[in-house]
Amino acid sequence: MTTTIYNLMSVGAYKLFIPKDGECIEIIRKIRWSNGYICPYCGSRDVILKGKEGYKSYIQRYRCNSCKRHFNDLTGTIFAKKRMSLGEMFYIIKNLKNSSINQISEELGRDYRTVHSFAKEVMESSEKDNLLKKLLETN
């Protein structure tokens, strides 16, 4: 039996092409904080680093000295409060133009509704979200 590219690209093999969460957060930081840290609540630049998120040690926490609120790298972005990994969300964004939602959900082993919901949010937010715009441009 001859091995084809299609056989190699089984559902399990696609996981090889999903970026690691740590790599994704570095990209988000480079885009989001390119002009320094800014509080998503009050817009102040008087922000200090406040450790890492306990459950996801690659996510940096911050504290705004003006409004005294805490936030992290994902606060106020399309990636905040999602149950999918950052790698999966990046995968969806990258493949949204070339693949169907059904195909992406099968590749990720995720429920169609989960992928569809995130893809819909990406499409609706892409015009007004600068971080998302830059991510879409880099793909």
Side-chain angles (χ1 to χ4, degrees):
M1 181 176 138
T2 307
T3 303
T4 65
I5 291 292
Y6 183 76
N7 291 339
L8 292 173
M9 301 302 270
S10 65
V11 172
Y14 276 105
K15 298 225 181 271
L16 298 174
F17 303 107
I18 297 173
K20 293 182 176 25
D21 289 348
E23 296 167 354
C24 297
I25 202 72
E26 288 303 319
I27 293 168
I28 290 171
R29 279 190 196 124
K30 283 180 186 174
I31 295 171
R32 187 168 192 198
W33 309 127
S34 63
N35 295 323
Y37 306 119
I38 300 171
C39 175
Y41 299 109
C42 72
S44 171
R45 291 186 177 275
D46 189 11
V47 172
I48 59 170
L49 301 180
K50 199 68 175 163
K52 304 281 185 176
E53 288 289 354
Y55 63 100
K56 294 182 179 177
S57 60
Y58 51 86
I59 297 178
Q60 179 67 52
R61 296 189 67 211
Y62 306 90
R63 181 177 175 271
C64 175
N65 286 328
S66 296
C67 71
K68 309 294 186 221
R69 294 186 74 176
H70 289 87
F71 59 95
N72 66 35
D73 290 319
L74 304 178
T75 303
T77 72
I78 195 169
F79 304 106
K81 299 180 181 177
K82 297 287 189 287
R83 292 185 179 206
M84 284 188 286
S85 72
L86 284 173
E88 290 174 319
M89 290 185 275
F90 269 55
Y91 185 88
I92 292 168
I93 291 168
K94 183 177 190 288
N95 292 290
L96 203 50
K97 291 182 182 176
N98 304 321
S99 302
S100 69
I101 303 295
N102 196 41
Q103 181 182 351
I104 294 171
S105 67
E106 287 176 12
E107 292 166 358
L108 292 175
R110 287 286 190 163
D111 183 71
Y112 174 88
R113 292 169 294 190
T114 302
V115 174
H116 180 264
S117 174
F118 181 71
K120 183 178 176 188
E121 195 174 342
V122 167
M123 290 183 271
E124 290 172 352
S125 301
S126 63
E127 286 303 312
K128 53 190 170 198
D129 186 334
N130 285 335
L131 172 63
L132 193 53
K133 265 190 221 177
K134 289 181 180 178
L135 280 175
L136 289 168
E137 289 170 5
T138 60
N139 286 329

